Amino acid sequence: MSPAHRVSPFWIALGLVAAGYLGFWFAMLAATATYTSPGEVMEVLLSREIRYATLLSLVTCTASALLSVAVAVPVGYLMSRRRFPGHAVVDAALDIPIVLPPMVVGICLLIFFQTRAGGLIEQAIPLTYTVGGVIVAQFVIAAAFAIRTMRNVFDHLSPRPEQVALTLGATPLQAFRHVTLPAARSGMFAAASVAWARSLGEFGPILVFAGATRMKTEVLPTSVWLAWSVGELEQGVAVSLLMIAISMMVLVAVKMTGERV
Amino acid sequence: MIRLENIVWTPPGKGRAPVLDGVSFGIPSASYAVLMGRTGSGKTTLLEILCGLRAPGSGAVWIDDREVTALPPGERGIGYVPQDGALFPTLTVRQQIGFGLRMRGIPPAEIESRLLEAAGSVGVSALLDRLPPGLSGGERQRVALARALVVKPSVLLLDEPLASVDEETQDDLMELLRRTRREHGITVLHVTHSRREAEGLGEWQLRLEGGRVHASSTTT
């Protein structure tokens, strides 16, 4: 092989690190996938409780992803396009849900809804230990990820076309609606997918704020925990495999749309 | 006519020196001025202040005997063509050119006839259903020019419009710009690094240096 085509030891070393990390992951997934038989997995997944938890997960994740994008688009746009006093502080504050332990978020939610302001909201829409509470618990964390995604999307879109739109007589809202938003469509899908995937895996805040009541507020991560806590390992593994499959599908969707952002 | 009076602009942040430090100059109606200056000298900032996209720290902007310093960009009577055209990424050429008319509430039939006329005048009639990724650099600049001209501005502001095209396309676009100025009777301020563009187009040559317009001269 000519010197020009010889792969440098530097790149080989980097490749080994990547291969080691991915190999570890594949080994874990393979071990989980072969822990139980396909028949047992199907039996668990077709049970009434798991079908309910699956449906509830799909519905609540979709609702929290839509809510997250509805908040992430205006907040991400504001943070990307405007510099204002305290911008850095607001930027850091928006990341708090990302770094806070999820269980702490659940405790904060539970305490807030015991206050006077929270009580007023509860009177209009009961949330604590309800399906609504599942969505709120997922949303408060997923929205932070969606905001970060949308901010990156807007950072990568040049503001020049919006500025040209303003010189052509558009208001800032019209420039946003007709020029920027259509260009951010793929990014919005990516943000929704990230929020959806994050919501699917959420467990701590849901357990604390919405509870883990079978056939009521039980979502897939709760099912894994409930099965594990009573020693039903096959059931826990079966639900875990279902969640891995769903996550893979979301990941593929994000990658496919991400390339078009 | 364009007139700037003692424009000062300082970037945000403590202790920063002003980028524009008392810029004053005038460009007579229907003339073609070229503004030159080093990278970072504040040329684009000056255009943004003229467009109303950036507020000056102090000073006044006049366009056609009307002070526009406090007016929003859409009410200044300007057309703006940034570097590389800044076309709207998801709109067809037809939608791009008709955009300003649509924002002004012009009836659809009139929009169609005016956009066809504008597209014809810059030679993009065959491209009306294309999206920006399907256009060459020169075509993008032509579309951006038609989009700016269709709303009949009295002043055309060009920010390095020929910087990203080859020399042959530059010659074509320079001829188009000369013809546009002649046919529309429009005042043009053209920012460039290129001496070739300045000598080929500018009746007035301005140089921005050290925060001020230092030299101005006529070539015709």
Side-chain angles (χ1 to χ4, degrees):
Chain A
M1 190 183 281
S2 70
H5 291 93
R6 202 174 295 145
V7 180
S8 147
F10 173 69
W11 296 114
I12 293 172
L14 298 191
L16 285 174
V17 173
Y21 176 70
L22 278 175
F24 181 55
W25 259 107
F26 281 122
M28 282 198 298
L29 292 177
T32 310
T34 52
Y35 183 83
T36 182
S37 69
E40 279 177 312
V41 170
M42 287 314 292
E43 193 183 327
V44 170
L45 297 186
L46 292 175
S47 70
R48 194 164 152 263
E49 290 80 7
I50 300 305
R51 274 190 290 137
Y52 178 88
T54 306
L55 183 64
L56 186 62
S57 276
L58 296 179
V59 169
T60 56
C61 288
T62 305
S64 62
L66 291 175
L67 279 174
S68 296
V69 172
V71 171
V73 169
V75 176
Y77 187 66
L78 173 74
M79 297 308 292
S80 171
R81 289 290 192 265
R82 301 297 295 190
R83 290 292 173 271
F84 49 84
H87 183 276
V89 176
V90 175
D91 196 33
L94 288 168
D95 282 343
I96 287 175
I98 294 173
V99 295
L100 220 53
M103 199 69 88
V104 174
V105 175
I107 291 168
C108 292
L109 273 172
L110 199 58
I111 291 173
F112 170 73
F113 281 97
Q114 305 306 313
T115 63
R116 190 183 291 262
L120 286 173
I121 298 172
E122 280 275 16
Q123 277 178 10
I125 317 165
L127 293 172
T128 312
Y129 301 121
T130 66
V131 170
V134 174
I135 294 169
V136 170
Q138 290 171 338
F139 162 76
V140 288
I141 293 177
F145 287 88
I147 288 169
R148 190 110 321 254
T149 306
M150 283 316 301
R151 194 203 155 149
N152 286 338
V153 169
F154 291 127
D155 280 348
H156 283 92
L157 290 175
S158 166
R160 279 283 179 240
E162 292 162 42
Q163 292 171 342
V164 171
L166 295 178
T167 67
L168 290 169
T171 63
L173 176 63
Q174 287 172 320
F176 176 68
R177 194 179 141 218
H178 296 294
V179 177
T180 312
L181 210 51
R185 221 168 22 205
S186 300
M188 287 164 66
F189 183 77
S193 303
V194 167
W196 199 94
R198 179 72 213 191
S199 299
L200 181 70
E202 213 52 76
F203 171 62
I206 296 175
L207 184 68
V208 175
F209 183 56
T213 312
R214 280 236 132 131
M215 303 296 291
K216 192 181 174 199
T217 57
E218 181 189 353
V219 285
L220 289 174
T222 325
S223 301
V224 176
W225 180 73
L226 286 174
W228 222 255
S229 60
V230 295
E232 291 177 8
L233 300 190
E234 285 75 15
Q235 186 175 336
V237 168
V239 177
S240 299
L241 288 173
L242 175 64
M243 291 179 70
I244 289 167
I246 295 172
S247 301
M248 293 289 188
M249 283 190 274
V250 173
L251 190 65
V252 170
V254 171
K255 287 282 175 202
M256 285 172 67
T257 53
E259 281 163 14
R260 295 202 299 267
V261 172
Chain B
M1 185 272 286
I2 298 172
R3 199 166 86 234
L4 295 183
E5 289 175 356
N6 206 26
I7 294 290
V8 175
W9 185 81
T10 308
K14 268 189 177 173
R16 305 283 298 271
V19 170
L20 303 176
D21 193 12
V23 170
S24 299
F25 66 85
I27 302 167
S29 288
S31 53
Y32 202 118
V34 173
L35 176 68
M36 297 185 76
R38 287 167 181 265
T39 302
S41 61
K43 302 184 299 297
T44 296
T45 303
L46 192 64
L47 276 196
E48 288 174 346
I49 287 171
L50 265 165
C51 287
L53 299 169
R54 197 185 282 277
S58 61
V61 180
W62 292 74
I63 291 174
D64 288 345
D65 296 323
R66 189 168 64 119
E67 191 189 344
V68 298
T69 320
L71 288 184
E75 293 175 24
R76 294 185 173 210
I78 52 148
Y80 176 42
V81 179
Q83 194 175 353
D84 83 16
L87 297 185
F88 307 142
T90 59
L91 300 191
T92 62
V93 169
R94 180 188 299 276
Q95 291 167 324
Q96 309 262 354
I97 300 175
F99 186 88
L101 301 172
R102 199 150 61 91
M103 292 301 112
R104 284 167 161 77
I106 308 285
E110 190 184 337
I111 291 178
E112 185 65 12
S113 69
R114 280 175 65 176
L115 81 83
L116 289 177
E117 187 191 343
S121 74
V122 300
V124 295
S125 300
L127 310 173
L128 288 175
D129 295 320
R130 292 232 196 125
L131 286 164
L135 301 174
S136 69
E139 288 168 345
R140 294 169 78 89
Q141 290 305 87
R142 286 171 186 272
V143 172
L145 188 62
R147 182 180 63 182
L149 290 173
V150 76
V151 294
K152 299 192 190 321
S154 60
V155 164
L156 185 60
L157 304 170
L158 309 170
D159 191 0
E160 302 193 38
L162 313 183
S164 52
V165 293
D166 60 63
E167 210 162 279
E168 200 175 323
T169 311
Q170 277 182 3
D171 290 341
D172 291 346
L173 288 172
M174 277 166 68
E175 183 47 41
L176 174 64
L177 289 171
R178 270 186 222 109
R179 187 161 51 80
T180 299
R181 201 287 307 258
R182 215 168 42 235
E183 287 174 2
H184 291 259
I186 198 169
T187 312
V188 182
L189 177 58
H190 176 139
V191 166
T192 183
H193 282 291
S194 159
R195 207 169 281 281
R196 181 167 168 267
E197 283 173 41
E199 286 165 2
L201 289 165
E203 296 164 313
W204 293 73
Q205 290 192 16
L206 310 167
R207 184 156 196 91
L208 183 59
E209 215 167 70
R212 292 181 181 224
V213 171
H214 279 283
S216 92
S217 62
T218 54
T219 56
T220 55

